Amino acid sequence: MKITVVGTGYVGLVSGACLADVGNDVLCLDVDAAKIRVLEEGGIPIHEPGLLEIVRRNVAAGRLSFTTDIQRAVAHGTVQFIAVGTPPDEDGSADLQYVLAAARNIGRHMDGYRVVVDKSTVPVGTGDKVKAAIADELSKRGVELPFSVVSNPEFLKEGAAVDDFMRPDRIVVGAEDERAIESMRQLYAPFQRNHDKLVFMDVRSAELTKYAANAMLATRISFMNELANLAETLGADIELVRQGIGSDLRIGWHFLYAGCGYGGSCFPKDVKALIKTADEYGHELKVLGAVEDANEAQKHVLIDKIVARFGENLSGRRFALWGLAFKPNTDDMREAPSRVIIAELFKRGATVVAYDPVAMDETRRIFGDEARLSYVDRPMKALEEADALVIVTEWKEFRSPDFERIRSVLRQPVLFDGRNMYDPAVMRESGLEYYGIGRR
């Protein structure tokens, strides 16, 4: 099939590369010439494990190409994926200007039947707006051409997006005419040879499904974080509680880890957008309001522990920070807890020495030439002359460090574990003063 993907961010580039990898002819469009130049020169503008190899392989095979030419992109694909950003407005609602601009461009240039697929995370009712925008542009041209609008939300985890696309556990499709449904069946046939993973529904239900999934996962995280804070007060251990409830098949193991809050490009934005959507229709989502409040508070938990240990005035203190990205296997710093922690340490007069395997360049872009923040190329180097180690992101390389060396290098043997990576008993045996989240 000939496919056009509008947008070369996480969703667009992963989708385009994976669709090309199963034999489709894919053209990716982006109005950002710098991004397209990086792609044409053999690089990728994001960090995502395994993606660079797939992009290069399919470019070399002639199945994947890139352009800034809108007319060429609309002419190319019978299926047109819209995978552009939907950043939050000041009121928390999703900004649809890029989605609707893409829809209007399709209406201006299409010359035959098109299946227009909303891949971006969009509020309920966006499909109707996309349909209206395309119809309006066709009307201006004085032409009548058939088209279908489909909702096909993505369920890709940053850091595992390629595997999620190639081996999905479900493929949600909101479509309301047989021609579009058949096109989507053909498109996704290579990804479900083992069994049928397609879940068809109406467009509005598909749009809500994406928000509901992310809101549920965010709720589980905030729930466990609140229980962790209670566990500390009660003298219980949240890790043992996690094992106790996770073994219940009705609950399961996923997203039950307590920590210092969630971040990234999806959960914070989508929770806000769903709350805003409900508000527009006269509904108050009380649970999600609490989820959002709990998460913002949780980003300050490590700071509270640091202040309790060292005092409010941290002038002259130096803290080693392991992990900057909001989660492992990505350089994404959007809504990352590390940003709050660094800012709060600065506010109290401290300096920070940071290490992250891939996110330090992005952190430099965010904090600029901040003299109080420095970077090192090895985790252990960050500990030199530091009063404590603060772990914010659970990268694999942090799982089994040399605890004896940590104790000997730090100015004081204090470790704040924002992801509960270590066993408190092992920390005590290693001579480390250990502060986890909800641990005894």
Side-chain angles (χ1 to χ4, degrees):
M1 297 179 72
K2 285 195 169 186
I3 300 166
T4 294
V5 179
V6 183
T8 58
Y10 274 101
V11 177
L13 189 55
V14 170
S15 299
C18 291
L19 287 167
D21 208 43
V22 295
N24 294 296
D25 181 0
V26 180
L27 177 62
C28 291
L29 167 72
D30 205 296
V31 296
D32 187 336
K35 275 188 178 181
I36 297 300
R37 186 164 55 250
V38 168
L39 289 161
E40 289 179 333
E41 291 174 353
I44 57 175
I46 58 175
H47 177 85
E48 184 60 41
L51 181 59
L52 179 60
E53 294 77 10
I54 292 180
V55 169
R56 287 178 173 174
R57 178 168 68 244
N58 285 280
V59 168
R63 294 188 296 267
L64 180 63
S65 54
F66 308 98
T67 187
T68 57
D69 186 333
I70 294 171
Q71 187 169 354
R72 176 190 167 199
V74 176
H76 177 82
T78 301
V79 178
Q80 302 263 322
F81 279 94
I82 298 178
V84 297
T86 53
D89 272 341
E90 290 182 6
D91 63 357
S93 62
D95 184 350
L96 295 178
Q97 63 172 309
Y98 306 112
V99 170
L100 297 179
R104 288 194 172 279
N105 284 332
I106 293 169
R108 289 186 189 110
H109 300 290
M110 59 187 284
D111 55 4
Y113 177 70
R114 295 291 184 271
V115 181
V116 181
V117 183
D118 281 332
K119 198 70 173 170
S120 302
T121 300
V122 293
V124 176
T126 299
D128 296 332
K129 294 178 181 179
V130 167
K131 186 180 295 185
I134 295 171
D136 184 53
E137 292 298 330
L138 290 173
S139 176
K140 290 177 183 176
R141 292 169 56 191
V143 299
E144 290 187 14
L145 294 171
F147 68 92
S148 303
V149 174
V150 171
S151 175
N152 176 216
E154 53 85 15
F155 298 98
L156 307 178
K157 299 185 294 293
E158 289 187 38
V162 170
D163 192 58
D164 285 346
F165 196 99
M166 299 299 278
R167 300 174 183 84
D169 50 14
R170 82 288 201 198
I171 304 167
V172 173
V173 175
E176 295 167 12
D177 67 80
E178 285 304 319
R179 191 172 181 182
I181 290 171
E182 184 53 38
S183 293
M184 298 304 286
R185 284 194 184 280
Q186 181 182 346
L187 180 72
Y188 280 114
F191 302 96
Q192 51 173 0
R193 295 187 67 186
N194 182 264
H195 64 277
D196 191 354
K197 302 173 183 177
L198 282 164
V199 181
F200 285 101
M201 58 186 70
D202 62 276
V203 172
R204 284 183 169 239
S205 295
E207 291 168 339
L208 182 56
T209 296
K210 168 62 178 179
Y211 278 111
N214 280 355
M216 174 62 77
L217 297 176
T219 299
R220 286 170 69 97
I221 294 171
S222 283
F223 175 75
M224 287 303 290
N225 284 336
E226 292 224 297
L227 279 187
N229 298 335
L230 177 61
E232 285 193 17
T233 302
L234 299 177
D237 189 323
I238 195 62
E239 176 59 19
L240 300 178
V241 174
R242 182 188 71 83
Q243 294 174 27
I245 66 174
S247 56
D248 185 329
L249 295 180
R250 297 169 301 174
I251 297 173
W253 296 100
H254 297 295
F255 288 83
L256 289 184
Y257 289 95
C260 52
Y262 62 76
S265 62
C266 294
F267 288 4
K269 173 177 69 69
D270 293 351
V271 168
K272 284 182 173 67
L274 188 52
I275 291 171
K276 180 61 178 177
T277 295
D279 183 62
E280 290 172 353
Y281 285 84
H283 290 274
E284 181 186 2
L285 297 181
K286 296 178 181 178
V287 170
L288 288 190
V291 166
E292 189 176 41
D293 292 343
N295 188 60
E296 288 308 306
Q298 198 68 17
K299 292 181 180 180
H300 292 81
V301 164
L302 282 182
I303 289 296
D304 294 340
K305 292 176 182 292
I306 291 169
V307 167
R309 172 60 177 79
F310 290 104
E312 188 71 35
N313 185 355
L314 299 176
S315 298
R317 299 287 187 187
R318 176 180 171 120
F319 292 90
L321 204 70
W322 282 5
L324 294 163
F326 87 94
K327 63 179 286 188
N329 300 318
T330 180
D331 62 351
D332 197 337
M333 290 287 293
R334 285 173 286 186
E335 303 283 346
S338 64
R339 298 175 65 162
V340 173
I341 292 165
I342 291 170
E344 291 294 327
L345 288 172
F346 288 167
K347 187 187 299 184
R348 291 165 174 79
T351 59
V352 176
V353 184
Y355 170 79
D356 188 285
V358 301
M360 291 192 289
D361 285 345
E362 181 64 11
T363 309
R364 287 187 184 97
R365 186 189 67 78
I366 293 167
F367 284 93
D369 298 324
E370 172 56 66
R372 295 169 292 181
L373 177 60
S374 57
Y375 307 89
V376 291
D377 58 3
R378 296 187 306 279
M380 286 295 178
K381 197 171 181 181
L383 308 184
E384 297 173 3
E385 301 301 318
D387 291 285
L389 168 60
V390 183
I391 299 177
V392 186
T393 313
E394 63 275 32
W395 286 93
K396 283 184 180 179
E397 65 181 274
F398 302 155
R399 289 183 182 177
S400 298
D402 185 337
F403 296 118
E404 294 294 333
R405 188 177 171 200
I406 290 175
R407 182 180 59 79
S408 63
V409 175
L410 283 170
R411 187 183 293 169
Q412 300 187 55
V414 183
L415 194 158
F416 297 94
D417 184 357
R419 297 299 175 185
N420 286 348
M421 296 189 71
Y422 310 129
D423 185 336
V426 173
M427 297 298 95
R428 286 195 300 273
E429 292 170 4
S430 301
L432 286 164
E433 190 179 330
Y434 178 77
Y435 299 90
I437 308 292
R439 306 304 303 277
R440 281 200 300 171

